Amino acid sequence: MHTIANLESLPDELLLEICKYLLCVDVLLCFDNLNHRFTCLVNDYRRHVSLHKASYAQSFQLCTDILPRIGAQIQTLVIDNCYSALQAIAFPKYFQHSMSTCFPDLKKIILVSFRPDPLFVFLKTLNHLDKLQTIDMRSLFRVPTNQQTEVLLALLQANNSRLTSVLIDDQSSHLNPIKKYLPTHAICSNILHLKIEILTICDLAVLFTIIPNVHTLFVSIHKNDNLDRTNRKFKSETLYHLTHFQLKSIEHSWYLNELRSLLDKLPAVEYLSLNLRTSDVELTSGQILQNYLPNKIKQFHYAIHYLPEQITKCSNILETWESVYPIRCLYDVEQNDYMFLHTIPYLSFDYLEISSSVASAVSKHSNSFENVLRVHVDCDFTLTEAFPIISCCRRAKHSMIWLHGTNRQCNNHEQLTQEQTHQKQADTLPKLPRLRRLTLVGLPPKDLHHMSTILLAAPNLFRLDLNYNTLLLMLADDKVCSILRQRITALTINHMQASSRYVEENIARIALIFLHLRHLYVDMRSLEMTIDMMVLYYFDEFVKQNAPLVSLCADGKPSDEMKLDAKKWLLSHRQYLNEKQLAVYFNEKAGRLLIWM
């Protein structure tokens, strides 16, 4: 006779394994303070608290009951404004005068998808937290140019300048230290570790003056300075304490003299990682480059996107590295207009941004990119162009495929031949169990039916970002729809258009497919009309399907009624929501409506 075990009869190891499938908020709400055994069992969830994906009601209960009770044990706190749309605004209201007394042992705060104004409010609550040393910013939203310096200094000087580490990920807005906005003698000597996104090389020079004591600096530069070659000299302060330096700059085309002048300012660097773009053949020579590396170098990682100005043989480049560092050269034999060189192993970088033109070469070295967590592939027309590269990044959590719709000036015959080659090359994928998010940018792919290949390979994929037109085409494929219906809980729809008279039917179709959707973002900025009716269409259709929506966000032009009081606007149009717990807000600066349920 079989017996049914209750939860408490299970061993601790099995209970902890079950907890891995739950959100932190679910674990705390279900098991904390249940009894002594369960309280001890979830100790790690009490020390490292994440409000990721919390609903409005869950957040209220946590902030009013559980967090004040367990606050003294919390060492890491995650505040998620991405999937919990108004958490950035709500959280400081509960703890604006009590952060230091409620969370005395707090060491690290992770802030997700914050905008500048809520960030300023939150940072003002961080006072006299003696153990708080790290702020980790993820997906910081667009910061206006005139606010970027102010936001940067607010972060570096937060918690009464007690922080030593500020980490801003590569999915965040750039924060440029612009000279005209900098106070006189703005120096943050407390910062020892900094990761940041900036726009230009000139911004990097200004940044050096602000953080004289920095030990670790990871920088991404997003823009070309447009300086002529003779004026490309890096002029700034010398960083005498910097030992770890990583630079990503693949929009700006580098020259040797420019890189040399930068490295002269880093005499103490021991660990150096460079990911650059260049047309300067000297930057592909290991023998030349070795002459200008800092004397104390212990570890050097190099990745370079080389766009040769004249025909260059890969074998000649490799010869210059034989006695320096092991290196790999990836290129398309037929095109020979783009090469990707990287030192072996490719360990220092957790991202890979690369053209699909070298896919064949990448597939020959399938173990090279095991460390990659985010992969971005530039393609021409098809998804399958990216497959060989994605196949080599099996640990990636986020894959982005950018379809440009240009084929490097090929004629029709060459285009057809290349597409057939790509089809033969890879129309299958290995299992990708770590892939959580897929982003499609640009034109709809010609082989959209291969979305099912990606979905079947990635059983844990839950977030999909794509254009409205691409989504509509995808929903015509029943096989794809059946998988989307089971998997996707977060959906981003970009560039929504209302030119079609079938827009209501399209929204109904979307709601019918994404039955388990919890988080929806729709970009309606291209609409000439106000977004009011569109938002209500989406809201009604997902309610009709009983979808468990937690957040609905929309960018676009509001009516005066929505702008004046968004919550009053929604409740006046949908009175049945009066009995529901929800927060509604229209951010006028960002042009964004946020509904958190």
Side-chain angles (χ1 to χ4, degrees):
M1 180 177 174
H2 296 288
T3 59
I4 300 175
N6 63 35
L7 197 62
E8 289 195 77
S9 69
L10 299 176
D12 288 358
E13 294 80 7
L14 189 54
L15 288 171
L16 287 172
E17 194 64 30
I18 292 170
C19 286
K20 290 179 183 178
Y21 290 86
L22 303 176
L23 296 172
C24 179
V25 293
D26 294 327
V27 172
L28 290 176
L29 289 169
C30 293
F31 299 131
D32 185 68
N33 213 31
L34 190 63
N35 58 37
H36 179 71
R37 181 195 174 198
F38 275 97
T39 299
C40 293
L41 192 69
V42 299
N43 252 341
D44 273 352
Y45 291 91
R46 295 158 68 98
R47 284 194 292 265
H48 307 287
V49 172
S50 172
L51 304 184
H52 177 60
K53 294 186 178 181
S55 70
Y56 180 83
Q58 287 177 321
S59 184
F60 176 80
Q61 188 175 348
L62 284 160
C63 291
T64 56
D65 178 24
I66 295 178
L67 295 190
R69 182 158 41 81
I70 68 171
Q73 300 172 50
I74 297 175
Q75 298 176 11
T76 306
L77 179 63
V78 180
I79 301 176
D80 170 28
N81 199 56
C82 178
Y83 298 111
S84 302
L86 286 165
Q87 204 170 85
I89 295 174
F91 188 89
K93 292 179 180 178
Y94 296 110
F95 301 103
Q96 58 185 329
H97 302 302
S98 59
M99 285 290 289
S100 60
T101 54
C102 190
F103 308 110
D105 207 31
L106 190 62
K107 297 175 182 177
K108 180 178 181 178
I109 292 178
I110 299 172
L111 306 177
V112 184
S113 295
F114 271 58
R115 288 189 175 277
D117 291 345
L119 178 61
F120 283 133
V121 172
F122 180 81
L123 293 177
K124 287 177 182 177
T125 69
L126 304 181
N127 292 297
H128 308 296
L129 287 149
D130 294 337
K131 296 186 180 181
L132 179 63
Q133 294 190 331
T134 302
I135 289 183
D136 186 343
M137 295 294 309
R138 300 180 186 177
S139 301
L140 173 66
F141 270 106
R142 295 181 295 269
V143 180
T145 302
N146 61 355
Q147 278 191 302
Q148 289 175 15
T149 304
E150 185 184 4
V151 170
L152 176 60
L153 290 178
L155 282 166
L156 300 181
Q157 297 171 348
N159 193 30
N160 315 101
S161 295
R162 283 182 168 89
L163 299 180
T164 58
S165 301
V166 173
L167 311 174
I168 304 166
D169 77 351
D170 60 2
Q171 301 296 291
S172 292
S173 167
H174 43 263
L175 293 179
N176 300 315
I178 303 170
K179 263 189 175 181
K180 69 177 181 179
Y181 296 121
L182 271 178
T184 308
H185 307 302
I187 295 176
C188 301
S189 54
N190 54 301
I191 298 300
L192 305 181
H193 311 283
L194 177 63
K195 183 178 181 183
I196 189 170
E197 309 292 300
I198 59 176
L199 265 186
T200 69
I201 306 298
C202 297
D203 297 324
L204 183 61
V206 177
L207 184 66
F208 276 21
T209 66
I210 300 173
I211 48 171
N213 296 331
V214 70
H215 294 177
T216 304
L217 179 59
F218 287 14
V219 181
S220 291
I221 297 175
H222 289 269
K223 193 176 177 182
N224 193 349
D225 285 80
N226 295 319
L227 297 174
D228 62 73
R229 184 169 181 172
T230 56
N231 290 325
R232 291 191 176 190
K233 293 284 185 181
F234 185 79
K235 299 174 183 177
S236 182
E237 302 295 321
T238 300
L239 294 180
Y240 292 103
H241 305 286
L242 186 66
T243 57
H244 293 67
F245 182 59
Q246 183 177 111
L247 173 64
K248 174 191 172 188
S249 176
I250 58 177
E251 298 297 328
H252 176 85
S253 188
W254 285 77
Y255 289 95
L256 177 64
N257 65 326
E258 184 180 23
L259 182 61
R260 178 184 176 183
S261 63
L262 169 59
L263 295 178
D264 285 344
K265 303 296 182 182
L266 314 174
V269 163
E270 298 175 1
Y271 301 89
L272 178 64
S273 301
L274 302 173
N275 188 344
L276 311 174
R277 178 169 74 91
T278 189
S279 293
D280 184 356
V281 69
E282 289 186 304
L283 279 178
T284 68
S285 170
Q287 293 168 348
I288 293 174
L289 199 60
Q290 187 182 35
N291 294 329
Y292 302 114
L293 295 181
N295 295 328
K296 295 184 178 181
I297 282 290
K298 294 180 180 177
Q299 200 173 95
F300 177 55
H301 294 279
Y302 194 51
I304 192 155
H305 302 261
Y306 178 45
L307 286 73
E309 294 176 341
Q310 56 191 14
I311 296 175
T312 306
K313 288 186 177 180
C314 185
S315 57
N316 293 341
I317 293 174
L318 294 175
E319 283 178 10
T320 69
W321 291 87
E322 285 180 355
S323 58
V324 185
Y325 290 97
I327 198 162
R328 182 165 289 141
C329 180
L330 306 174
Y331 68 103
D332 182 348
V333 178
E334 294 180 6
Q335 295 291 330
N336 203 27
D337 59 354
Y338 168 79
M339 295 181 180
F340 181 63
L341 291 85
H342 67 85
T343 48
I344 305 170
Y346 188 88
L347 288 179
S348 181
F349 312 103
D350 62 2
Y351 57 85
L352 176 65
E353 297 184 24
I354 196 169
S355 168
S356 64
S357 64
V358 299
S360 295
V362 169
S363 62
K364 295 175 183 176
H365 307 286
S366 59
N367 297 324
S368 296
F369 304 111
E370 291 184 345
N371 195 50
V372 169
L373 299 180
R374 182 176 63 82
V375 57
H376 170 154
V377 188
D378 287 312
C379 300
D380 293 323
F381 295 101
T382 64
L383 296 173
T384 49
E385 293 170 47
F387 282 11
I389 296 170
I390 293 174
S391 296
C392 297
C393 304
R394 299 190 188 190
R395 295 185 180 181
K397 295 181 178 180
H398 180 192
S399 290
M400 176 185 288
I401 301 176
W402 197 307
L403 293 125
H404 295 275
T406 57
N407 215 17
R408 298 180 292 278
Q409 300 178 345
C410 292
N411 60 37
N412 290 336
H413 175 70
E414 289 174 326
Q415 179 181 320
L416 181 61
T417 302
Q418 285 190 11
E419 288 181 12
Q420 290 172 343
T421 301
H422 285 307
Q423 289 291 333
K424 292 177 183 176
Q425 210 172 52
D427 57 4
T428 61
L429 285 169
K431 286 296 180 185
L432 304 169
R434 301 195 182 193
L435 188 62
R436 301 288 191 272
R437 178 181 176 187
L438 176 67
T439 301
L440 302 183
V441 183
L443 298 173
K446 289 188 173 182
D447 59 347
L448 196 53
H449 62 281
H450 272 299
M451 265 299 297
S452 61
T453 307
I454 301 175
L455 293 170
L456 290 170
N460 297 309
L461 184 79
F462 74 85
R463 176 169 171 177
L464 183 62
D465 310 336
L466 74 176
N467 290 343
Y468 179 70
N469 288 340
T470 303
L471 175 60
L472 295 185
L473 291 171
M474 192 183 297
L475 297 187
D477 188 318
D478 290 339
K479 184 178 180 181
V480 170
C481 287
S482 66
I483 306 172
L484 293 175
R485 186 176 284 114
Q486 301 168 39
R487 302 269 182 81
I488 301 301
T489 59
L491 177 65
T492 294
I493 304 174
N494 293 311
H495 306 299
M496 181 176 175
Q497 301 168 0
S499 56
S500 169
R501 59 194 177 95
Y502 300 110
V503 64
E504 291 180 53
E505 291 90 333
N506 290 336
I507 293 174
R509 172 71 172 158
I510 291 169
L512 186 63
I513 296 304
F514 297 97
L515 295 177
H516 300 292
L517 203 68
R518 291 173 60 85
H519 313 283
L520 174 65
Y521 163 76
V522 188
D523 175 7
M524 304 184 193
R525 286 174 293 177
S526 62
L527 303 184
E528 294 182 4
M529 58 183 174
T530 63
I531 63 175
D532 298 40
M533 288 307 299
M534 291 294 175
V535 170
L536 293 174
Y537 285 154
Y538 276 106
F539 201 91
D540 290 343
E541 291 301 328
F542 278 101
V543 168
K544 191 185 297 182
Q545 300 300 333
N546 292 315
L549 268 184
V550 170
S551 62
L552 192 160
C553 306
D555 283 356
K557 181 181 175 182
S559 65
D560 291 338
E561 186 185 0
M562 181 190 289
K563 191 190 301 184
L564 184 65
D565 189 331
K567 185 171 183 178
K568 185 177 179 181
W569 163 81
L570 181 61
L571 296 180
S572 67
H573 287 84
R574 297 296 179 266
Q575 294 181 4
Y576 65 87
L577 292 173
N578 278 295
E579 298 178 3
K580 303 285 185 182
Q581 284 186 303
L582 79 164
V584 189
Y585 175 70
F586 186 82
N587 185 320
E588 195 168 345
K589 283 186 179 179
R592 171 168 289 188
L593 175 71
L594 303 118
I595 304 173
W596 185 23
M597 293 165 278

